[in-house]
Amino acid sequence: MKVLKCLQICFIYIGSIIGAGFATGREIMLYFGGNGILSGVIAGVLMGVLCGLFLWSAKSFRKLKSSKSLIWRGICVLIKVALWICTLASFVCMVSGCEEIIFKTYGIANVGLWTGILVCFLGICEMSVTRKLNTFIVPLIILLLIVLYAQSEKSVDIQFSAKSVIGYCGMNIMMGGYIIAEQEVSFSAKQTIFISVVSGVVFALCIAMVYSVSIKYMDDSMPIWEFSREHGMSSLSGLIIYLAIFSTLIGCSKLICQENASVKIPNIFSVVFLIIFALFALKLDFSTVVGYCYPIIGYVGIIYTCFMILLSVQYAVRRRKFACQ
């Protein structure tokens, strides 16, 4: 088993999820602030399970797209279009958040725009570029979170809310599941389990650290930033937030450019298209656009997950039937 290749997939998956909402602590507090750290940890583990599910189902989904049935091909097209739209919405949210957060932290304007332009060009690069970038960025984010966590009061709140766990996973799985399902490499059962376990453990630990850092500031718009400012480390939190946004933006850009290329849309058009939306995002208020987009993304994520679960069941039944013949 190629461990590095598996870890790269873990980091792509995690990197596509830990955007502005996660890195500021706002998202974690929204779902788990009143529901306990245990809910957050279980949600992280479940996200790892879902990672394995999407890897397992990806091959079936690719076959379904080329099915002879017009109905199944039509369903696949509808799902891909919905995912494309939601990914574009995530791109707009991240650029808007990047601009607002960096200006608040460092007083530097137009960082969101230049970051958006950079990732537009990264989107037309090979997937290996995205893998290598996230292999560096995600461990760095984890390391910086550990530095903040070391200064926090450790939480032992073990309340549990199934509703918050399902809601959080539904909202986040769209991007993560989408980018995992679009991996061109097939993985063995052993590799899939390894990726699923590592992703779940790392994500659960990250949620626990963000929760502990943010819980005293759960009513603020950016709890991690407030914690860091009080401890004289606001620049550190700004870096964590920026890297998290950047890693998510890379995934958004890559998926949009990849889908455009699949229908013969030139790369230059995809770049120009994304730059226009980056300019548009600068005029939007981050909290407002998130309030509109995230619920829709959550519903699409839940529908997408249910569909991939059905594909997993179908794939398992087909394999068992073939083994019995």
Side-chain angles (χ1 to χ4, degrees):
M1 180 173 67
K2 296 181 179 180
V3 174
L4 179 59
K5 182 175 75 171
C6 293
L7 288 176
Q8 285 179 333
I9 299 302
C10 294
F11 294 143
I12 283 181
Y13 178 68
I14 294 168
S16 69
I17 296 167
I18 51 175
F22 179 91
T24 59
R26 179 68 259 155
E27 182 180 287
I28 301 302
M29 289 299 97
L30 178 65
Y31 284 94
F32 310 121
N35 297 308
I37 193 171
L38 180 61
S39 299
V41 170
I42 291 176
V45 172
L46 181 56
M47 288 296 290
V49 173
L50 291 174
C51 176
L53 166 72
F54 278 87
L55 281 176
W56 182 257
S57 307
K59 186 181 293 185
S60 294
F61 188 66
R62 286 195 291 269
K63 287 182 179 178
L64 206 61
K65 287 190 294 183
S66 57
S67 168
K68 294 181 180 179
S69 169
L70 287 175
I71 294 176
W72 280 117
R73 287 211 309 269
I75 291 172
C76 289
V77 169
L78 286 175
I79 289 174
K80 297 283 268 186
V81 169
L83 292 173
W84 186 94
I85 292 171
C86 288
T87 302
L88 181 61
S90 295
F91 177 85
V92 170
C93 290
M94 291 302 106
V95 172
S96 174
C98 182
E99 181 68 21
E100 184 176 321
I101 290 163
I102 295 303
F103 184 78
K104 181 176 180 178
T105 305
Y106 301 107
I108 305 172
N110 297 321
V111 173
L113 173 62
W114 293 113
T115 301
I117 291 173
L118 173 60
V119 298
C120 290
F121 286 98
L122 289 173
I124 61 176
C125 296
E126 295 293 329
M127 180 59 83
S128 59
V129 175
T130 303
R131 290 194 188 110
K132 289 174 183 176
L133 283 170
N134 275 325
T135 301
F136 169 75
I137 291 172
V138 173
L140 180 57
I141 292 171
I142 295 169
L143 180 62
L144 295 175
L145 278 176
I146 291 171
V147 173
L148 287 183
Y149 176 72
Q151 305 297 319
S152 69
E153 295 181 13
K154 311 307 180 282
S155 175
V156 292
D157 186 351
I158 57 171
Q159 295 182 71
F160 174 70
S161 166
K163 182 180 178 180
S164 68
V165 171
I166 294 171
Y168 180 81
C169 291
M171 195 273 290
N172 279 284
I173 194 57
M174 193 282 295
M175 266 294 296
Y178 187 15
I179 201 165
I180 282 294
E182 292 300 313
Q183 294 301 304
E184 298 172 356
V185 182
S186 295
F187 295 92
S188 66
K190 185 178 179 181
Q191 289 173 323
T192 300
I193 292 171
F194 177 83
I195 292 168
S196 180
V197 170
V198 172
S199 297
V201 170
V202 171
F203 204 58
L205 290 174
C206 286
I207 290 176
M209 288 191 289
V210 172
Y211 181 97
S212 296
V213 169
S214 303
I215 189 62
K216 280 194 171 182
Y217 308 88
M218 63 179 295
D219 295 325
D220 292 304
S221 61
M222 292 192 289
I224 284 184
W225 192 86
E226 293 297 336
F227 171 90
S228 301
R229 182 179 62 82
E230 188 171 293
H231 289 77
M233 297 187 293
S234 57
S235 295
L236 178 61
S237 71
L239 179 58
I240 292 173
I241 294 166
Y242 179 77
L243 289 172
I245 291 173
F246 187 72
S247 65
T248 301
L249 276 171
I250 295 172
C252 291
S253 177
K254 183 60 190 175
L255 287 171
I256 290 169
C257 292
Q258 186 172 288
E259 290 299 335
N260 288 353
S262 70
V263 291
K264 310 302 181 184
I265 294 175
N267 284 335
I268 186 62
F269 175 86
S270 296
V271 170
V272 172
F273 175 79
L274 286 172
I275 289 175
I276 290 171
F277 270 86
L279 287 166
F280 171 69
L282 297 180
K283 300 183 181 297
L284 301 175
D285 176 71
F286 175 61
S287 59
T288 301
V289 72
V290 164
Y292 281 111
C293 293
Y294 274 26
I296 297 172
I297 292 171
Y299 293 133
V300 172
I302 291 171
I303 294 170
Y304 185 35
T305 302
C306 291
F307 182 74
M308 295 302 269
I309 288 172
L310 289 175
L311 282 185
S312 292
V313 172
Q314 181 197 44
Y315 183 59
V317 170
R318 191 167 64 241
R319 284 192 61 177
R320 179 171 293 183
K321 185 182 294 185
F322 179 79
C324 292
Q325 289 178 349

